[in-house]
Amino acid sequence: MIKSIDTPVATAVLTWLTLEEGGRRGGPQTSPVYAATCVFPLGGEAEVQPGWPATAEEMFSILLEEVEVVGDSNERRYKVGFLAPDLAKSFTHDGAEFLIMEGPKVVARGRINAVFEGW
């Protein structure tokens, strides 16, 4: 198990979906570093691709380490890393929106709010 992200590429705020919205039964993750799949929506994909986002061409393995709770209990700030950071580089910029997936299911929505220098 990864205990911390030593060289994060960014920070992001995630809003975890409630169970009624299709989110996780246990709510936001509780492990020190959560690994999942993410996808960055690009202009209208949801409307034109059957089964999207589960069928997105570009999916990435993302690492998230919680920094703090912001707003309500389902909204949190995270340090962000990727298992293959060079592949995600062109998608990772201030304001970039992304979806956290567990299998074909979207469990959270995120937005990059700071990218670290040198990334």
Side-chain angles (χ1 to χ4, degrees):
M1 172 184 356
I2 300 171
K3 297 199 186 266
S4 68
I5 300 174
D6 295 330
T7 53
V9 299
T11 61
V13 173
L14 266 66
T15 302
W16 293 88
L17 301 181
T18 64
L19 186 57
E20 294 76 28
E21 295 170 315
R24 305 175 87 235
R25 181 172 306 281
Q29 59 77 33
T30 57
S31 61
V33 174
Y34 171 69
T37 304
C38 79
V39 62
F40 291 86
L42 303 173
E45 289 177 314
E47 292 81 28
V48 297
Q49 293 183 11
W52 193 91
T55 59
E57 289 182 27
E58 305 247 31
M59 290 186 152
F60 304 95
S61 295
I62 192 169
L63 302 171
L64 300 165
E65 181 180 350
E66 186 177 319
V67 175
E68 65 182 336
V69 175
V70 294
D72 70 37
S73 63
N74 285 337
E75 190 174 40
R76 298 165 187 223
R77 184 178 324 281
Y78 292 87
K79 288 194 269 183
V80 177
F82 293 96
L83 290 184
D86 290 342
L87 296 177
K89 191 169 189 167
S90 64
F91 296 91
T92 308
H93 56 81
D94 288 346
E97 295 182 3
F98 59 97
L99 304 173
I100 299 294
M101 316 249 329
E102 290 183 356
K105 183 168 124 173
V106 175
V107 296
R109 300 180 188 286
R111 180 184 299 261
I112 303 284
N113 62 356
V115 176
F116 295 121
E117 184 130 349
W119 165 245

Coordinates of all heavy atoms in Angstrom, one line a residue, residues 8-54:
P8 N 3.8 14.9 -5.7 CA 2.5 15.2 -6.4 C 2.7 16.1 -7.6 O 3.6 16.9 -7.6 CB 1.7 15.8 -5.3 CG 2.6 16.4 -4.3 CD 3.9 15.5 -4.4
V9 N 1.8 16.0 -8.5 CA 1.9 16.9 -9.7 C 0.9 18.0 -9.6 O 1.1 19.1 -10.3 CB 1.6 16.1 -11.0 CG1 2.7 15.0 -11.2 CG2 0.2 15.5 -11.1
A10 N -0.1 17.9 -8.7 CA -1.1 18.9 -8.6 C -1.9 18.8 -7.3 O -1.7 17.8 -6.6 CB -2.0 18.9 -9.8
T11 N -2.8 19.7 -7.1 CA -3.8 19.5 -6.1 C -5.2 19.6 -6.8 O -5.3 20.3 -7.8 CB -3.7 20.5 -4.9 OG1 -3.9 21.8 -5.4 CG2 -2.4 20.4 -4.1
A12 N -6.2 19.0 -6.2 CA -7.5 19.1 -6.8 C -8.5 19.0 -5.7 O -8.3 18.5 -4.6 CB -7.7 17.9 -7.7
V13 N -9.7 19.5 -6.0 CA -10.9 19.3 -5.1 C -11.8 18.3 -5.7 O -12.1 18.5 -6.9 CB -11.6 20.7 -4.8 CG1 -12.8 20.5 -4.0 CG2 -10.6 21.7 -4.1
L14 N -12.2 17.3 -4.9 CA -13.1 16.3 -5.4 C -14.4 16.4 -4.6 O -14.4 16.7 -3.4 CB -12.5 14.9 -5.1 CG -11.8 14.2 -6.3 CD1 -10.5 15.0 -6.5 CD2 -11.5 12.8 -6.0
T15 N -15.5 16.2 -5.4 CA -16.8 16.0 -4.7 C -17.2 14.6 -5.0 O -17.4 14.2 -6.1 CB -17.8 17.0 -5.4 OG1 -17.3 18.3 -5.2 CG2 -19.2 16.9 -4.7
W16 N -17.3 13.9 -3.9 CA -17.7 12.5 -3.9 C -19.2 12.4 -4.1 O -20.0 13.1 -3.4 CB -17.3 11.7 -2.6 CG -15.8 11.7 -2.6 CD1 -15.0 12.6 -2.0 CD2 -15.0 10.6 -3.1 NE1 -13.7 12.2 -2.1 CE2 -13.7 11.0 -2.8 CE3 -15.2 9.4 -3.8 CZ2 -12.6 10.2 -3.2 CZ3 -14.2 8.6 -4.1 CH2 -12.9 9.0 -3.8
L17 N -19.7 11.5 -5.0 CA -21.1 11.4 -5.2 C -21.7 10.6 -4.0 O -21.0 9.7 -3.5 CB -21.3 10.6 -6.5 CG -20.8 11.2 -7.8 CD1 -21.1 10.3 -9.0 CD2 -21.3 12.6 -8.0
T18 N -22.9 10.9 -3.7 CA -23.6 10.2 -2.6 C -24.1 8.9 -3.2 O -24.0 8.6 -4.4 CB -24.9 11.0 -2.2 OG1 -25.8 11.1 -3.3 CG2 -24.5 12.4 -1.6
L19 N -24.5 8.0 -2.3 CA -24.9 6.7 -2.8 C -26.1 6.8 -3.7 O -26.2 6.1 -4.7 CB -25.3 5.8 -1.6 CG -25.7 4.4 -1.8 CD1 -24.6 3.6 -2.6 CD2 -26.0 3.7 -0.5
E20 N -27.0 7.8 -3.4 CA -28.2 8.0 -4.3 C -27.8 8.5 -5.7 O -28.5 8.3 -6.6 CB -29.1 9.1 -3.6 CG -29.8 8.6 -2.3 CD -28.8 8.6 -1.1 OE1 -27.9 9.4 -1.1 OE2 -29.0 7.8 -0.2
E21 N -26.6 9.2 -5.8 CA -26.1 9.7 -7.1 C -25.3 8.6 -7.8 O -24.8 8.9 -8.9 CB -25.3 10.9 -6.8 CG -26.0 12.1 -6.3 CD -25.1 13.2 -5.9 OE1 -24.0 12.9 -5.2 OE2 -25.4 14.4 -6.2
G22 N -25.2 7.5 -7.2 CA -24.4 6.4 -7.8 C -23.0 6.2 -7.2 O -22.2 5.5 -7.8
G23 N -22.7 7.0 -6.2 CA -21.3 6.9 -5.6 C -21.1 5.7 -4.7 O -21.9 4.7 -4.7
R24 N -20.0 5.7 -4.0 CA -19.5 4.6 -3.2 C -20.5 4.4 -2.0 O -20.9 5.3 -1.4 CB -18.1 4.9 -2.6 CG -17.1 5.2 -3.7 CD -15.8 5.6 -3.2 NE -15.0 4.4 -3.0 CZ -14.5 4.0 -1.8 NH1 -14.6 4.8 -0.8 NH2 -13.8 2.9 -1.7
R25 N -20.7 3.2 -1.6 CA -21.5 2.8 -0.5 C -20.9 3.4 0.8 O -21.6 3.9 1.7 CB -21.7 1.3 -0.4 CG -22.5 0.9 0.8 CD -22.8 -0.6 0.7 NE -23.4 -1.1 -0.5 CZ -24.7 -0.9 -0.9 NH1 -25.5 -0.3 -0.1 NH2 -25.1 -1.4 -2.0
G26 N -19.6 3.3 0.9 CA -18.9 3.8 2.1 C -18.5 5.3 2.1 O -17.9 5.7 3.0
G27 N -18.9 6.0 1.1 CA -18.6 7.4 1.0 C -17.2 7.6 0.6 O -16.6 6.7 0.0
P28 N -16.6 8.8 0.8 CA -15.2 9.1 0.4 C -14.2 8.0 0.9 O -14.4 7.5 2.0 CB -14.9 10.4 1.0 CG -16.3 11.1 1.1 CD -17.2 9.9 1.5
Q29 N -13.2 7.8 0.1 CA -12.2 6.8 0.5 C -11.5 7.1 1.8 O -11.5 8.3 2.2 CB -11.2 6.7 -0.6 CG -10.4 8.0 -1.0 CD -9.4 8.3 0.0 OE1 -8.7 7.5 0.6 NE2 -9.2 9.6 0.2
T30 N -11.0 6.1 2.5 CA -10.3 6.4 3.8 C -8.9 5.9 3.8 O -8.2 6.1 4.8 CB -11.1 5.6 4.9 OG1 -11.2 4.3 4.6 CG2 -12.5 6.2 5.0
S31 N -8.4 5.3 2.8 CA -7.0 4.8 2.8 C -6.1 6.1 2.7 O -6.5 7.1 2.2 CB -6.7 3.9 1.6 OG -7.0 4.5 0.4
P32 N -4.8 5.9 3.1 CA -3.9 7.1 3.0 C -3.7 7.6 1.6 O -3.7 8.8 1.4 CB -2.6 6.5 3.6 CG -2.9 5.3 4.4 CD -4.2 4.8 3.8
V33 N -3.6 6.7 0.7 CA -3.5 7.1 -0.8 C -4.5 6.1 -1.5 O -4.4 4.9 -1.4 CB -2.1 6.9 -1.4 CG1 -2.1 7.2 -2.8 CG2 -1.1 7.9 -0.7
Y34 N -5.4 6.8 -2.2 CA -6.4 6.1 -3.0 C -6.0 6.0 -4.4 O -5.6 7.0 -5.0 CB -7.7 6.8 -2.8 CG -8.9 6.4 -3.6 CD1 -9.5 5.2 -3.4 CD2 -9.4 7.2 -4.6 CE1 -10.6 4.8 -4.2 CE2 -10.5 6.9 -5.4 CZ -11.1 5.7 -5.2 OH -12.2 5.3 -5.9
A35 N -6.0 4.8 -5.0 CA -5.7 4.6 -6.4 C -7.0 4.3 -7.1 O -7.8 3.4 -6.7 CB -4.7 3.5 -6.6
A36 N -7.2 4.9 -8.3 CA -8.4 4.7 -9.0 C -8.1 5.0 -10.5 O -7.0 5.3 -10.9 CB -9.6 5.6 -8.5
T37 N -9.1 4.9 -11.3 CA -9.0 5.3 -12.7 C -9.7 6.6 -12.9 O -10.7 6.9 -12.2 CB -9.8 4.3 -13.6 OG1 -9.2 3.0 -13.3 CG2 -9.6 4.6 -15.1
C38 N -9.2 7.5 -13.7 CA -9.8 8.8 -14.0 C -9.9 9.0 -15.5 O -9.1 8.4 -16.3 CB -9.1 9.9 -13.3 SG -7.7 10.5 -14.0
V39 N -10.8 9.9 -15.8 CA -10.9 10.3 -17.2 C -11.2 11.8 -17.2 O -11.9 12.3 -16.3 CB -12.1 9.5 -17.9 CG1 -13.4 9.8 -17.3 CG2 -12.1 9.8 -19.4
F40 N -10.6 12.5 -18.2 CA -10.8 13.9 -18.4 C -11.8 14.2 -19.5 O -11.5 13.9 -20.7 CB -9.5 14.6 -18.7 CG -8.5 14.6 -17.6 CD1 -7.6 13.5 -17.4 CD2 -8.4 15.7 -16.7 CE1 -6.7 13.5 -16.4 CE2 -7.5 15.7 -15.7 CZ -6.6 14.6 -15.5
P41 N -13.0 14.6 -19.2 CA -14.0 14.9 -20.3 C -13.5 15.9 -21.2 O -13.0 17.0 -20.8 CB -15.2 15.4 -19.5 CG -15.0 15.0 -18.1 CD -13.6 14.9 -17.9
L42 N -13.7 15.7 -22.5 CA -13.3 16.6 -23.6 C -14.5 16.9 -24.4 O -15.0 16.1 -25.1 CB -12.1 16.0 -24.4 CG -10.9 15.6 -23.7 CD1 -9.9 14.9 -24.6 CD2 -10.2 16.8 -23.0
G43 N -15.0 18.1 -24.3 CA -16.0 18.7 -25.2 C -17.1 17.7 -25.7 O -17.0 17.3 -26.9
G44 N -18.1 17.4 -25.0 CA -19.2 16.7 -25.5 C -19.1 15.2 -25.6 O -20.0 14.6 -26.2
E45 N -18.1 14.6 -25.1 CA -17.9 13.2 -25.2 C -19.1 12.4 -24.6 O -19.5 11.4 -25.2 CB -16.7 12.7 -24.5 CG -15.4 13.1 -25.3 CD -14.2 12.7 -24.5 OE1 -14.1 12.9 -23.3 OE2 -13.3 12.1 -25.2
A46 N -19.6 12.9 -23.5 CA -20.7 12.2 -22.9 C -22.0 12.1 -23.8 O -22.7 11.1 -23.7 CB -21.1 12.9 -21.6
E47 N -22.1 13.0 -24.6 CA -23.3 13.0 -25.5 C -23.1 12.2 -26.8 O -24.1 11.8 -27.4 CB -23.7 14.5 -25.9 CG -24.2 15.3 -24.8 CD -23.0 15.9 -23.9 OE1 -21.9 16.1 -24.4 OE2 -23.3 16.2 -22.7
V48 N -21.9 11.9 -27.2 CA -21.7 11.3 -28.5 C -21.2 9.9 -28.4 O -21.2 9.2 -29.4 CB -20.9 12.2 -29.4 CG1 -21.5 13.5 -29.7 CG2 -19.5 12.4 -28.8
Q49 N -20.6 9.5 -27.3 CA -20.0 8.1 -27.2 C -20.9 7.2 -26.3 O -21.0 7.5 -25.1 CB -18.6 8.2 -26.6 CG -17.7 9.0 -27.6 CD -16.3 9.0 -27.0 OE1 -15.9 8.3 -26.1 NE2 -15.4 9.7 -27.6
P50 N -21.4 6.2 -26.9 CA -22.2 5.2 -26.1 C -21.4 4.6 -25.0 O -20.2 4.3 -25.2 CB -22.6 4.2 -27.1 CG -22.5 4.8 -28.5 CD -21.4 5.8 -28.3
G51 N -21.9 4.6 -23.8 CA -21.2 4.0 -22.7 C -20.2 4.9 -22.0 O -19.5 4.4 -21.1
W52 N -20.0 6.1 -22.5 CA -19.0 7.0 -22.0 C -19.4 7.3 -20.6 O -20.6 7.5 -20.3 CB -18.8 8.2 -22.8 CG -17.6 9.0 -22.5 CD1 -16.4 8.9 -23.1 CD2 -17.5 10.0 -21.5 NE1 -15.5 9.7 -22.5 CE2 -16.2 10.5 -21.5 CE3 -18.4 10.6 -20.6 CZ2 -15.7 11.5 -20.7 CZ3 -17.9 11.6 -19.8 CH2 -16.6 12.0 -19.8
P53 N -18.5 7.5 -19.6 CA -17.1 7.5 -19.6 C -16.4 6.1 -19.5 O -15.2 6.1 -19.7 CB -16.7 8.3 -18.4 CG -17.7 8.1 -17.4 CD -19.0 7.9 -18.2
A54 N -17.1 5.1 -19.3 CA -16.5 3.7 -19.2 C -15.8 3.3 -20.4 O -14.9 2.5 -20.4 CB -17.5 2.7 -18.7

